Amino acid sequence: MTPQSSALTVRGLTKCFERPAVDGLDLVVRAGEFYALVGPNGAGKTTTLRMVAGLLRPDAGEIAIFGIDALREPIAAKQVMAWVSDEPMIYDKLTPLEYLEFVAGLWGIDPMTSGQAARELLVSLGLERHLHERCEGFSKGMRQKVALAGALVHDPQLIILDEPLTGLDAVSARHVKGLLADRVRRGGTVIMTTHILEVAERMADRIGVIAAGRIVAEGTLAELREQNGRTDTSLEELFIALVDVESAA
Ligand SMILES: Nc1ncnc2c1ncn2[C@@H]1O[C@H](COP(=O)(O)OP(=O)(O)OP(=O)(O)O)[C@@H](O)[C@H]1O
C-alpha cells in the first residue's frame, strides 16, 4: 500500500503509564475506509487515538497520516485530521454558529465560506432550532454534536472519534451516523471507537479488535468470522471469544 492510499499507518506504537497501555501496536487504515476500533475497557483504544491525534507523546513507534510523519510534522498532520473526544469541550458563552465561526477563524477559513458550511453542518446534526442559543444551556448530547461540527469545519480528510454515540438519543445517534457515513461516501476516512458492537457491525468497512494494547484481530465481519472458524456468529460472540483468548494468554 502506498502512503497515499493509507490514511493512517501506525507502527510499533507504545505508551506505558504504570503498566503498558499500548504495547507495540500496528495499524493501517486505508483512505476512504470506515474503521471501527472495539475492545474491552482499558484495552488502550483512547490512548492509541490520543497519540494519533497528537495529544499524547508515544514512548516509541511511528505514526503517519496520509504519509505525513505525525510526530515530526504535527501541525501538518493536524491540518488533515479531526479529533472528536468523548468529553466535548466547547465555549459555553457562544452560540453553535459563533463557535463554528470561531473555529473556522482559527483555521483561517473565509467567513463567507465557513458561515454557510457551519449552518449546513449544524442543521444536518438536528441543531437548526438552537443555532442562536448559547451552548451553556445545552445537554451533553447537544454539546457533543456542536463539538463534532466544530471538528469538521476545516473539512478534514481523516476523522477520528472516541465513542461518538455514547449518551446520544436515537435521533441524535442517527444524525451523527448519517453525517459520518456521508463523509465516507464522499471519500473521507473515519476511525471510531465504540462499545456498541451493532454499530461497528453495521457501519464499519473493517473492524479492529484491540486487547491489552495490541490489535488481536482485524477485518470485515466476514473475515473475522472466517479467522475464527465461526461462520454465522455475531460480532458480540466473536468479540467475547477473542478477548477471552487474549486475557487467558
Ligand atoms: N493518563 C493516564 N495515566 C495513567 N494511566 C492511564 C492514563 N490514561 C490511560 N491510562 C491507563 O491506560 C490503560 C488504557 O486506557 P484507555 O483509556 O486507552 O483504554 P480504552 O480502551 O479507551 O478503555 P475504555 O473502553 O474504558 O474507554 C488503562 O489501564 C488506563 O487506566
Side-chain angles (χ1 to χ4, degrees):
M1 191 180 298
T2 62
Q4 283 70 29
S5 62
S6 136
L8 173 68
T9 303
V10 166
R11 296 281 172 232
L13 195 65
T14 302
K15 183 76 191 177
C16 203
F17 296 109
E18 288 85 46
R19 279 174 279 122
V22 177
D23 194 7
L25 182 136
D26 294 325
L27 173 65
V28 176
V29 176
R30 300 170 194 139
E33 185 167 51
F34 196 128
Y35 190 97
L37 203 50
V38 304
N41 291 131
K45 301 180 294 296
T46 303
T47 306
T48 298
L49 295 186
R50 291 190 71 216
M51 288 191 277
V52 171
L55 298 171
L56 190 65
R57 187 91 195 156
D59 295 338
E62 293 167 17
I63 302 166
I65 293 160
F66 291 103
I68 301 165
D69 183 331
L71 298 175
R72 292 196 175 175
E73 296 181 75
I75 294 172
K78 280 179 187 150
Q79 274 166 348
V80 293
M81 80 171 136
W83 159 251
V84 187
S85 149
D86 59 344
E87 285 163 12
M89 300 246 284
I90 53 177
Y91 291 105
D92 277 352
K93 296 291 174 200
L94 301 182
T95 69
L97 270 178
E98 288 168 347
Y99 174 67
L100 263 62
E101 258 169 47
F102 167 74
V103 176
L106 295 179
W107 286 109
I109 303 168
D110 167 34
M112 289 296 281
T113 321
S114 67
Q116 180 62 22
R119 182 177 287 274
E120 281 170 15
L121 255 174
L122 292 165
V123 169
S124 76
L125 287 166
L127 288 166
E128 63 272 36
R129 286 193 295 116
H130 307 282
L131 296 179
H132 303 287
E133 291 170 16
R134 283 189 185 183
C135 297
E136 61 193 355
F138 284 9
S139 70
K140 182 171 182 280
M142 288 161 78
R143 300 165 70 82
Q144 240 168 292
K145 291 194 287 184
V146 175
L148 172 61
L152 300 185
V153 153
H154 66 298
D155 209 13
Q157 296 168 56
L158 171 63
I159 306 167
I160 303 175
L161 310 101
D162 197 10
E163 288 287 340
L165 303 172
T166 305
L168 294 188
D169 65 37
V171 175
S172 294
R174 178 171 283 195
H175 280 134
V176 171
K177 286 189 278 185
L179 181 68
L180 297 178
D182 184 54
R183 292 280 158 154
V184 172
R185 260 195 305 277
R186 287 162 40 195
T189 307
V190 170
I191 304 174
M192 76 173 202
T193 68
T194 183
H195 285 296
I196 313 171
L197 297 179
E198 242 183 23
V199 167
E201 199 168 327
R202 273 211 215 124
M203 295 195 70
D205 297 310
R206 287 192 307 145
I207 299 162
V209 183
I210 181 168
R214 262 172 292 153
I215 300 284
V216 294
E218 185 186 58
T220 62
L221 184 55
E223 285 165 353
L224 286 175
R225 284 183 175 134
E226 203 174 307
Q227 285 162 27
N228 286 275
R230 298 156 182 246
T231 48
D232 57 358
T233 36
S234 66
L235 179 59
E236 185 178 49
E237 284 167 304
L238 278 172
F239 175 88
I240 290 168
L242 283 163
V243 167
D244 265 0
V245 168
E246 189 59 26
S247 60

